[in-house]
């Protein structure tokens, strides 16, 4: 593995992969960098990280990563903050935001914090970061759109707001001191001229990492002594069980690639997920909500269950119930329990780490990892293969799974653990291309 980059609201994963061969993971929280470092990449980049809702990425896990000889880059958001704090230890800060934190021109973490949606929305941003407001208003002043005094007033107003409430619309509406002519001019100018400084810095960091990876570097351990304390020992013990992947070997692959292999086997995925949810319940002490299920949710769950089992007619459902010693009421109770368990899984963005842990514990991880590595070597990028999405879906569902293509592909993708239908389609395209390559190799005797 060459590089791992933590990103979310600042820059999309495809934009990162366009510039750098990297595995892109969600915004970093405490323990994530430590777990990533155990995969032994040459470099780790931190763009986005959690400021609230989860403990923030820890300074010591970054120091430990650098002490292990892995280069750590930071920019744009949480990465810029940590890079400014750890630059003297060798963390590589990139971009204007890092430079401003390093020089003391910026101090508060609310300068880069934003309100954003979950992964399913592509981490859509719902507020404007303070650093972008500052950069945009500096440009507006230089271009004569607003006066310096008006810009200072807007900056003061924005700085006084809670970071989740900041928006250009709100600033223009609430600043009574801004002259109407200036307000109108700024409103017209903003859509085409606003500066996304965080994204710009993120792109610079990704480019710097690509340049670093293209050159040959000796593994350089940090020039400092890392003290192994009781607190650090306890922390790393808590990090490791949650889906940690053992140190690099000849077959190490991204956990995302392993999970995609599992997700392509829906029955296996469902079984492992159930055990992972149980593991999470034991680990966190969270208990499922025992409130009655919403009737519409229960109907959807029944439809999903029947589709998974191929119980497409009423008579086939009745036969299945009879074979399994169930009546209608008992079946409904089981579905309600499934919904509650699904709720427990959906509430934790790190359920995948419990799934990885379950695969490792049962010994299933290595086979999936080998297949993922072989597929990567054999298929690579599916964009060069002449195969339409619909052709791939038909091959996968009808030939591989032996079932019709689902009517609601987005719902199926969610049930199978994929981020969305596009992620499912990419995995299917790679799978069918891989099977074709394997068939051709078998036919030619290679």
């Amino acid at each position: 593995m060459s590089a791992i980059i933590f990103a979310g609201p600042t820059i999309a994963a495809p934009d990162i992969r366009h510039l750098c061969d990297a595995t892109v993971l969600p915004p970093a929280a405490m323990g994530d960098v430590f777990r990533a470092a155990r995969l032994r990449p040459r470099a780790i980049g931190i763009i986005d990280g959690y400021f609230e809702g989860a403990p923030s990425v820890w300074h010591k896990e970054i120091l430990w990563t650098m002490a292990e000889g892995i280069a750590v880059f930071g920019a744009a958001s949480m990465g810029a903050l940590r890079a400014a704090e750890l630059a003297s230890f060798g963390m590589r800060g990139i971009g204007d935001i890092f430079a401003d934190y390093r020089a003391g021109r910026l101090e508060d973490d609310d300068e880069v914090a934003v309100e954003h949606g979950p992964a399913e929305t592509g981490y859509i941003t719902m507020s404007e970061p303070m650093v972008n407001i500052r950069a945009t208003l500096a440009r507006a002043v230089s271009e004569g759109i607003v006066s310096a005094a008006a810009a200072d007033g807007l900056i003061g107003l924005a700085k006084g707001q809670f970071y989740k409430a900041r928006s250009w619309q709100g600033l223009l509406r609430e600043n009574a001191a801004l002259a109407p002519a200036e307000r109108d001019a700024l409103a017209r100018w903003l859509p085409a001229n606003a500066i996304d400084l965080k994204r710009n810095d993120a792109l610079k960091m990704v480019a710097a990492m690509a340049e670093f990876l293209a050159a040959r570097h000796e593994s350089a351990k940090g020039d400092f002594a890392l003290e192994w304390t009781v607190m650090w020992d306890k922390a790393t013990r808590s990090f490791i069980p949650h889906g940690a992947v053992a140190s690099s070997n000849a077959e190490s692959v991204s956990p995302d690639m392993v999970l995609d292999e599992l997700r392509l086997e829906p029955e296996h995925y469902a079984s492992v997920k159930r055990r992972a949810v149980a593991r999470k319940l034991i680990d966190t002490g969270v208990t499922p909500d025992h409130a009655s299920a919403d009737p519409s949710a229960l109907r959807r769950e029944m439809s999903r269950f029947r589709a998974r089992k191929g119980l497409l007619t009423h008579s086939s459902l009745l036969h299945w119930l009879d074979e399994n010693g169930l009546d209608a009421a008992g079946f409904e109770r089981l579905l309600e329990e499934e919904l509650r368990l699904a709720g427990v899984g959906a509430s934790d963005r790190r359920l995948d780490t419990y799934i990885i842990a379950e695969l490792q514990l049962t010994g299933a991880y290595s086979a999936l990892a080998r297949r993922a590595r072989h597929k990567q070597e054999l298929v690579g990028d599916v964009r060069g293969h002449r195969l339409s999405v619909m052709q791939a879906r038909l091959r996968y569902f009808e030939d591989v799974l032996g079932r019709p293509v689902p009517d609601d592909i987005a719902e199926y993708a969610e049930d199978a653990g994929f981020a969305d239908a596009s992620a499912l389609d990419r995995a299917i395209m790679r799978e069918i291309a891989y099977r074709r390559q394997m068939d051709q190799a078998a036919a030619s005797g290679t």
Side-chain angles (χ1 to χ4, degrees):
M1 180 180 296
S2 296
I4 295 172
I5 296 176
F6 294 93
T10 297
I11 185 171
D15 295 335
I16 292 174
R17 296 191 189 103
H18 180 69
L19 295 174
C20 180
D21 179 17
T23 296
V24 183
L25 299 180
M30 188 172 72
D32 286 341
V33 170
F34 177 83
R35 285 189 285 270
R38 284 169 58 85
L39 291 167
R40 308 302 305 169
R42 288 181 58 200
I44 291 175
I46 305 171
I47 296 173
D48 291 308
Y50 282 88
F51 290 91
E52 60 178 39
S56 297
V57 61
W58 202 11
H59 298 79
K60 192 152 187 175
E61 63 186 292
I62 298 174
L63 290 170
W64 178 84
T65 299
M66 292 188 293
E68 291 292 301
I70 300 168
V72 182
F73 292 73
S77 192
M78 177 62 77
L81 273 168
R82 290 293 181 262
E85 293 159 344
L86 299 175
S88 59
F89 294 92
M91 187 170 176
R92 305 168 190 234
I94 304 293
D96 294 337
I97 298 170
F98 158 74
D100 285 345
Y101 274 122
R102 179 76 169 144
R105 291 185 290 271
L106 294 177
E107 295 181 351
D108 302 329
D109 58 11
D110 82 310
E111 291 282 338
V112 292
V114 294
E115 171 80 338
H116 63 80
E120 293 76 15
T121 68
Y123 299 102
I124 184 171
T125 55
M126 296 177 282
S127 65
E128 193 70 26
M130 193 69 214
V131 289
N132 286 3
I133 292 172
R134 292 183 189 276
T136 298
L137 288 173
R139 180 177 183 181
V141 170
S142 70
E143 295 185 11
I145 305 300
V146 296
S147 66
D152 288 342
L154 286 167
I155 289 171
L157 176 61
K159 189 63 177 173
Q161 294 176 328
F162 184 46
Y163 77 88
K164 293 183 179 182
R166 291 175 185 144
S167 70
W168 284 114
Q169 184 179 18
L171 289 175
L172 293 175
R173 183 179 62 248
E174 295 173 24
N175 192 341
L178 192 63
E182 280 188 311
R183 181 168 54 248
D184 292 345
L186 183 58
R188 290 192 302 270
W189 178 86
L190 278 171
N193 296 281
I195 295 175
D196 191 344
L197 188 62
K198 289 183 67 176
R199 176 179 164 78
N200 292 347
D201 279 5
L203 288 169
K204 290 176 184 176
M205 189 203 82
V206 175
M209 290 184 69
E211 184 177 346
F212 172 85
L213 295 171
R216 297 191 64 85
H217 297 274
E218 293 295 327
S219 177
K221 295 191 175 185
D223 187 20
F224 55 87
L226 186 75
E227 294 293 332
W228 196 276
T229 63
V230 172
M231 184 176 179
W232 173 243
D233 185 64
K234 288 181 178 178
T236 55
R237 288 176 185 273
S238 72
F239 297 160
I240 292 170
H242 299 169
V245 178
S247 298
S248 175
N249 56 55
E251 293 180 340
S252 65
V253 294
S254 158
D256 287 340
M257 294 168 66
V258 175
L259 287 170
D260 274 355
E261 293 300 313
L262 176 65
R263 291 164 183 148
L264 289 169
E265 303 175 26
E267 293 295 329
H268 189 192
Y269 174 78
S271 173
V272 174
K273 182 181 176 182
R274 286 178 64 84
R275 296 196 300 273
V277 169
R279 183 176 294 279
K280 180 206 165 188
L281 292 174
I282 294 169
D283 186 43
T284 64
V286 175
T287 56
D289 182 6
H290 288 282
S292 297
D294 175 68
S296 61
L298 196 57
R299 286 194 297 272
R300 287 195 298 273
E301 180 62 22
M302 181 178 291
S303 296
R304 292 175 179 178
F305 182 88
R306 292 178 66 175
R308 286 198 301 268
K309 297 294 185 181
L311 306 174
L312 304 180
T313 65
H314 185 63
S315 60
S316 64
L317 174 61
L318 291 177
H319 180 68
W320 184 89
L321 291 174
D322 184 60
E323 280 190 329
N324 288 277
L326 285 168
D327 57 16
F331 181 45
E332 186 171 310
R333 283 195 301 273
L334 289 178
L335 290 179
E336 285 189 347
E337 290 175 6
E338 286 294 304
L339 280 173
R340 284 194 284 269
L341 285 174
V344 172
S347 67
D348 189 344
R349 76 181 185 92
R350 291 185 182 80
L351 184 64
D352 283 353
T353 62
Y354 291 90
I355 292 176
I356 290 287
E358 187 63 34
L359 290 172
Q360 292 170 326
L361 210 67
T362 60
Y365 185 91
S366 60
L368 291 169
R370 282 194 298 272
R371 192 175 193 275
R373 170 63 66 194
H374 191 226
K375 182 185 290 185
Q376 178 68 19
E377 293 171 351
L378 207 59
V379 176
D381 192 338
V382 298
R383 286 176 294 184
H385 295 268
R386 295 186 176 182
L387 190 69
S388 72
V389 169
M390 286 310 301
Q391 286 175 322
R393 286 181 184 176
L394 285 168
R395 284 282 308 276
Y396 172 68
F397 285 104
E398 296 189 357
D399 296 348
V400 178
L401 298 185
R403 56 156 294 176
V405 177
D407 292 331
D408 191 334
I409 199 71
E411 183 177 78
Y412 178 90
E414 180 183 353
D415 286 347
F418 289 97
D420 51 29
S422 296
L424 169 64
D425 284 334
R426 286 193 296 272
I428 288 175
M429 295 277 280
R430 288 174 56 81
E431 176 66 14
I432 298 306
Y434 176 66
R435 287 172 176 266
R436 281 186 171 180
Q437 294 274 19
M438 292 292 286
D439 290 344
Q440 290 170 6
S444 64
T446 59

